[in-house]
Amino acid sequence: MQKKNKKDPSQMRHGYTTGACATACTKAALTALITGEAQETATIHLPIGRDETFTIEKNSFTDKEVSCETIKDGGDDPDATHGALIISTVSWQDEPGICLDGGIGVGRVTKPGLPVAVGEAAINPVPRKMLYSTVEETLAEFKITRGVKVIISVPDGEEIAKSTLNGRLGIIGGISILGTRGTVVPFSSSAYMASIEEAISVAHATGNDHVVMTTGGRSEKYAMQQYEGLPEEAFIEMGDFVGFAVKHCKRLGIKRVSLVGMMGKFSKVAQGVMMVHSKSAPINFEFLAQLAEDVGATSEIVQQVSAANTASQVGEIMLETGNKRFFDHLCEACCTSSLNHVKGGLVMDTAIYSMKGELLGRADGIDTID
């Protein structure tokens, strides 16, 4: 078999946000409502400062309204909404101004802490601004002063939302209409970081001063068992963005942060690496060997740790010796590294689990850098 060549990130194709797609459909639908003519394309101005033209897949006319549809293209970094059908339905209203709402498949906000008020459709501020300004510009172009109603729908939105964080954030009934740029950048971490920020904001706004940060779904499962008394919104998947997540917690005034994960990523956190992607800084086995020595491991074991190939192998070595104190010490190092990263001001806990869900070690209530 031939090895598949990886694409050069600089040559990868950008996609478009749900907000940009909704805006293009809205412009097409309003233009069709005014002119009575079906629209094949719609050109809009994106927040990043350039114009883009979208293909309109379908126009639907009734006596009172026009609906236009487009297919969301995620480019070379497709997300859960890639390929989703985005629809905007536009009609005249007696009241002046613009009424914007979400229809089927667009979620509705039920918890505070998000940039959209409780009870509103989950159409974020930048897409809202795009939609309002596009409607205003189109009306001005045709010299029309009537009131307009715009409904954004995503027929498969409720099903798509099951693979997003919306349920945890209190966004019920569908996806969010998102996008600060208008385009989706391939392999960009900005969308994930934005979801972390929103999750922390919801946790804070719903009265949680203790949040539990996990590196993934499996570690979250173990965390929910360990902290079973906390509400669902207190649990946040931070992925690789440990430093970013902890800093945002401090910024919002969260008092206690508990980290839950596994040996590989937390071996990096312990040594002060706050972005723990596999391509970030390598694991420092000399550092882990020093931790082993700190807790009384023999020189032979220290040497084995120093010569290990993976953090998991280090864990196996220390488990075989029965030295549980090593894992507790590693957790302490995670806490102090995190506190050092944010310059204090939090109470930190850390728990490390095996892949099978065995609690290997933990440190609780650390609030000073030692």
Side-chain angles (χ1 to χ4, degrees):
M1 294 178 67
Q2 291 185 341
K3 186 177 180 180
K4 186 176 180 180
N5 293 326
K6 292 184 177 180
K7 290 187 178 183
D8 181 344
S10 66
Q11 298 177 352
M12 296 186 76
R13 188 172 59 87
H14 288 202
Y16 299 99
T17 63
T18 48
C21 293
T23 302
C25 288
T26 299
K27 181 174 183 180
L30 179 55
T31 303
L33 183 67
I34 294 169
T35 64
E37 299 175 359
Q39 305 295 301
E40 296 183 353
T41 62
T43 300
I44 62 169
H45 190 70
L46 300 180
I48 54 172
R50 69 168 188 254
D51 291 344
E52 289 289 345
T53 299
F54 292 73
T55 299
I56 302 303
E57 304 290 339
K58 182 179 179 181
N59 290 245
S60 299
F61 289 82
T62 72
D63 293 340
K64 297 181 179 180
E65 61 188 30
V66 176
S67 295
C68 285
E69 307 176 2
T70 195
I71 304 294
K72 182 182 180 294
D73 179 7
D76 283 328
D77 189 25
D79 62 10
T81 59
H82 176 65
L85 182 66
I86 310 293
I87 304 174
S88 178
T89 301
V90 178
S91 59
W92 301 119
Q93 62 176 9
D94 295 334
E95 301 82 6
I98 303 166
C99 175
L100 174 63
D101 204 355
I104 185 171
V106 172
R108 199 155 293 274
V109 176
T110 65
K111 293 180 182 179
L114 294 169
V116 178
V118 171
E120 295 284 326
I123 303 173
N124 268 23
V126 172
R128 280 178 182 269
K129 184 178 179 181
M130 289 173 64
L131 286 158
Y132 279 115
S133 62
T134 298
V135 170
E136 289 167 353
E137 289 166 6
T138 304
L139 291 173
E141 179 185 347
F142 288 95
K143 297 181 173 57
I144 292 174
T145 57
R146 298 182 68 179
V148 173
K149 185 174 184 180
V150 178
I151 305 293
I152 307 300
S153 304
V154 184
D156 295 328
E158 190 164 3
E159 185 63 29
I160 295 170
K162 293 177 182 178
S163 60
T164 73
L165 292 173
N166 275 17
R168 180 75 54 83
L169 296 174
I171 300 170
I172 306 302
I175 65 168
S176 302
I177 304 301
L178 304 172
T180 56
R181 294 168 47 89
T183 60
V184 177
V185 180
F187 302 118
S188 168
S189 58
S190 59
Y192 194 87
M193 292 167 75
S195 73
I196 294 171
E197 282 188 310
E198 284 198 342
I200 296 170
S201 296
V202 168
H204 178 254
T206 51
N208 293 284
D209 58 7
H210 177 194
V211 298
V212 182
M213 301 284 189
T214 63
T215 52
R218 183 177 298 182
S219 56
E220 184 178 73
K221 175 184 175 183
Y222 304 149
M224 285 182 164
Q225 294 170 351
Q226 180 175 332
Y227 295 100
E228 61 180 352
L230 291 179
E232 186 182 45
E233 59 266 20
F235 296 88
I236 298 161
E237 285 191 35
M238 63 181 171
D240 297 327
F241 303 96
V242 181
F244 172 81
V246 176
K247 275 188 173 180
H248 196 64
C249 284
K250 181 180 177 180
R251 192 177 301 123
L252 285 186
I254 301 290
K255 295 178 181 178
R256 187 175 196 129
V257 177
S258 300
L259 306 180
V260 179
M262 298 175 192
M263 275 292 296
K265 294 183 186 296
F266 278 14
S267 291
K268 293 185 178 185
V269 175
Q271 69 189 55
V273 177
M274 292 292 127
M275 169 59 182
V276 293
H277 190 274
S278 58
K279 294 181 181 178
S280 65
I283 292 171
N284 185 335
F285 292 97
E286 291 298 326
F287 171 79
L288 295 180
Q290 181 60 58
L291 293 185
E293 185 175 343
D294 289 347
V295 295
T298 65
S299 58
E300 180 183 356
I301 295 300
V302 170
Q303 182 58 38
Q304 288 181 29
V305 170
S306 181
N309 292 319
T310 66
S312 295
Q313 185 182 0
V314 172
E316 291 169 3
I317 292 169
M318 298 311 296
L319 278 174
E320 288 175 1
T321 68
N323 194 333
K324 186 179 183 300
R325 175 64 184 135
F326 169 82
F327 298 102
D328 292 340
H329 193 31
L330 183 61
C331 290
E332 290 167 356
C334 288
C335 291
T336 53
S337 291
S338 299
L339 285 169
N340 187 58
H341 185 68
V342 300
K343 297 180 174 59
L346 293 171
V347 177
M348 294 294 308
D349 313 316
T350 299
I352 294 178
Y353 283 83
S354 71
M355 295 292 285
K356 295 180 179 179
E358 177 188 0
L359 178 62
L360 299 177
R362 64 187 292 179
D364 295 302
I366 294 181
D367 58 3
T368 58
I369 301 168
D370 184 357

